[in-house]
């Protein structure tokens, strides 16, 4: 199934104000791969993501999604293939009810009403939000909004998922549930995030962006062990790979106390 | 934190009302929209000194409130909120139109006051009808029908988005004004020098958000038309509803009922 592949070659993008946001980014993600894109604020993560479904067109370089090159004529097909989930669910949920929002994509694809109905039910079931069907989006909690936002994309049966900061603003349980949910998806995934623990849980591969270019690209475990690289790119080891700040001093204390006794 | 409910005069309560299940709510939205349109046109078409002939028209909102299980007090409060606009329009009439139309004992009533009352009456009738329409059909239903009836799509899409993002925008404005209040240390009044940048900032934020929403829409295949599921059925009930009310409005328009009743009573007394 070659259409789950993302290929980015020497991608360059300059914003109208002259900011060189991307300066030659290249990578290739294959079918079913989960790839994290990490980097400091302003490293170019969002700009890269916006290219993947053709909202921005490269100033230079090429992007291929599956069998199709990104071009004006292939936009519709590429937007169906690549499901984009935004950082702020309030931007993504713009219809009056959850149902209408999830049905928005399928209706735009021109599917018959029965099929739309079925897809909406399936997508809402998948994210565990079937009971929210008739609610207006502004009455949902943050976690519910995030789930519904994912459903709005899943109802179009995309092959590739692109997520921008999926865990921001979620409480720990909602975050954990979301990680579980995303882990179950078989899609090719590109996840941009500062939540490096989530990255460690979900993505076998990590791309580090620094000042608009790929600084490192490799297995997540290797990248997070490279202290020099992380420091240079304004990153930190995921908490799960750091020494426990609670237990560590306790041991020291214990040692001190035994010394006192003697 | 102030919630959506307390802001904007509890606007989304209208939406909750529209999700009830009464015979009136089940009616096809087109029937309701057309009926209310006919109602508004008829009410507005009266001469500027007309008061008595307008009174029978209150039958329509009364019946609708009853059938739709709507809280009259709530609708009344909503009317009060928008009443100042009508007052503003009508308030000059008594000043400019001083021609005396009739006298009650020692008081002479000028045309200006009559037309002022007429304006307020018409305002109450039409605004009430619009509120009832939204409370029984839902904002979305009304937009869908307007589009079906030929209103350019640009307008219906705009209306839908205003409705959806009014809450987000009001929240954003509330957050900004709270941020200002927390750092103004008892300086209660907002001066022009803080108000202007605040509003400008809100505008910029809004533009940013609009861009992100558009992005979300195009990435889900938006090409300019908003498609919504609509399973409408314009059956016999709908036809009856619309035709019945239209006939009633015509009757009230042509025959001045209060006058006719008055004359009949006079005749009987004689």
């Amino acid at each position: 199934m070659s259409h789950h592949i993302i290929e980015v070659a020497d991608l360059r993008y300059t914003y109208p104000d002259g900011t060189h946001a991307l300066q030659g980014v290249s990578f290739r993600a294959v079918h079913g791969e989960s790839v994290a894109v990490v980097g400091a604020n302003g490293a170019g993560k969002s700009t890269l993501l916006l290219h993947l479904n053709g909202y921005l067109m490269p100033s230079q370089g090429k992007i291929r999604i599956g069998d199709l090159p990104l071009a004006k004529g292939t936009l519709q097909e590429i937007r169906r293939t690549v499901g984009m989930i935004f950082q702020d669910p309030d931007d993504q949920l713009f219809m009056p009810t959850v149902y209408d929002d999830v049905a928005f994509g399928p209706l735009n694809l021109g599917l018959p009403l029965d099929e739309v109905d079925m897809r909406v039910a399936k997508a809402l079931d998948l994210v565990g939000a079937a009971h929210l069907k008739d609610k207006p989006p502004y009455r949902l909690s943050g976690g519910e909004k995030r789930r519904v936002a994912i459903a709005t994309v899943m109802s179009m049966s995309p092959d590739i998922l692109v997520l921008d900061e999926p865990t921001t603003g979620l409480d720990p349980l909602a975050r954990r549930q979301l990680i579980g949910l995303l882990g179950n998806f078989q899609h090719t995934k590109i996840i941009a995030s500062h939540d490096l623990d989530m990255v460690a849980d979900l993505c076998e591969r990590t791309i580090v962006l620094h000042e608009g270019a790929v600084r490192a690209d490799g297995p997540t475990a290797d990248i997070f062990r490279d202290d020099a690289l992380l420091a240079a790119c304004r990153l930190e080891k995921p908490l799960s790979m750091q020494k426990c700040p609670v237990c560590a001093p306790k041991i020291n204390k214990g040692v001190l106390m035994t010394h006192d006794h003697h | 934190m102030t919630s959506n409910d307390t802001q904007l005069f509890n606007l989304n309560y209208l939406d909750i009302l529209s999700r009830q299940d009464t015979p009136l709510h089940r009616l096809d939205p087109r029937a309701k929209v057309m009926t209310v349109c006919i109602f508004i046109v008829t009410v507005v078409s009266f001469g500027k000194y007309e008061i008595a002939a307008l009174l029978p028209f209150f039958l329509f909102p009364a019946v609708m409130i009853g059938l739709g299980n709507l809280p009259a007090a709530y609708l009344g409060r909503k009317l009060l909120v928008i009443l100042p606009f009508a007052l503003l329009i009508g308030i000059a009439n008594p000043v400019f139109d001083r021609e005396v139309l009739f006298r009650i004992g020692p008081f002479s009533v000028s045309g200006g006051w009559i037309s002022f009352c007429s304006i307020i009456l018409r305002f109450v009738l039409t605004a009430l009808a619009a509120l009832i329409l939204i409370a029984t059909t839902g904002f979305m239903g009304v937009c869908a029908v307007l589009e079906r009836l030929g209103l350019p799509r640009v307008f219906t899409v705009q209306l839908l988005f205003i409705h959806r993002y009014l809450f987000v925008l009001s929240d954003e404005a509330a957050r900004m004004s709270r941020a200002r209040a927390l750092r103004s240390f008892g300086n209660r009044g907002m001066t022009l020098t803080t108000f202007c940048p605040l509003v400008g900032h809100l505008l910029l934020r809004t533009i940013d958000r609009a861009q992100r929403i558009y992005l979300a829409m195009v990435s889900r295949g938006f090409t300019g038309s908003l498609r919504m599921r609509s399973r409408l059925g314009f059956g016999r009930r709908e036809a009856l509803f619309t035709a019945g009310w239209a006939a009633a409005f015509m009757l009230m328009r042509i025959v001045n009922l209060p006058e006719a009743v008055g004359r009949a009573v006079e005749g009987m007394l004689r």
Side-chain angles (χ1 to χ4, degrees), chain B residues 44-103:
Chain B
V44 171
S45 73
F46 277 99
K48 72 171 182 173
Y49 293 130
E50 203 56 72
I51 290 181
L54 283 171
L55 296 176
F57 281 89
F58 276 100
L59 181 71
F60 176 64
V63 170
M64 296 287 270
I65 286 173
L67 283 179
N69 188 26
L70 303 175
Y74 166 79
L75 294 177
R77 279 199 301 277
K78 281 271 121 63
L79 277 184
L80 281 183
V81 171
I82 31 182
L83 190 62
F85 292 102
L87 288 176
L88 209 69
I89 293 169
I91 200 67
N93 285 13
V95 179
F96 291 116
D97 187 354
R98 288 169 181 276
E99 186 191 341
V100 175
L101 283 194
F102 59 88
R103 290 167 192 283

Side-chain angles (χ1 to χ4, degrees), chain B residues 200-261:
Chain B
H201 200 85
L202 191 62
L203 176 70
L204 290 179
R205 282 198 203 189
T206 313
I207 292 172
D208 268 358
R209 185 179 286 278
Q211 217 135 32
R212 292 199 302 273
I213 295 162
Y214 177 68
L215 169 59
M217 293 174 73
V218 291
S219 52
R220 282 195 276 150
F222 181 71
T223 49
S225 63
L226 208 57
R227 282 169 240 232
M228 277 186 289
R229 101 194 117 137
S230 48
R231 294 221 179 81
L232 308 174
F234 198 93
R236 193 185 289 161
R237 268 160 24 98
E238 281 76 13
L240 209 66
F241 178 85
T242 313
W245 277 115
F249 298 152
M250 284 304 136
L251 181 70
M252 295 178 199
R253 176 70 183 89
I254 295 164
V255 183
N256 189 336
L257 285 176
E259 209 179 282
V261 171

Side-chain angles (χ1 to χ4, degrees), chain A residues 50 53 55 76 79-80 82 84 86 88-97 99-102 104-105 107-108 110 113-114 117 133-134 136-139 152-153 156, chain B residues 4-5 10 12-13 15-16 19 140 160-161 163-165 167-168 208-231:
Chain A
L50 291 179
N53 74 348
Y55 183 71
Q76 287 306 315
R79 284 178 179 161
R80 198 205 61 71
V82 180
M84 184 107 172
F86 293 86
D88 182 354
D90 257 325
D91 294 339
Q92 188 141 17
L93 306 174
F94 44 79
M95 295 293 277
T97 68
Y99 180 99
D100 289 297
D101 230 309
V102 180
F104 182 83
L107 283 175
N108 278 331
L113 282 183
D114 291 338
D117 247 353
K133 205 174 107 187
D134 296 317
Y138 52 78
R139 300 207 150 240
T152 63
V153 167
M156 300 180 70
Chain B
N4 287 333
D5 292 332
N10 201 352
N12 63 21
Y13 187 51
D15 252 14
I16 295 171
R19 260 175 254 126
M140 194 189 140
L160 272 181
F161 278 107
H163 183 241
R164 165 69 180 88
Y165 284 100
F167 305 111
V168 177
D208 268 358
R209 185 179 286 278
Q211 217 135 32
R212 292 199 302 273
I213 295 162
Y214 177 68
L215 169 59
M217 293 174 73
V218 291
S219 52
R220 282 195 276 150
F222 181 71
T223 49
S225 63
L226 208 57
R227 282 169 240 232
M228 277 186 289
R229 101 194 117 137
S230 48
R231 294 221 179 81

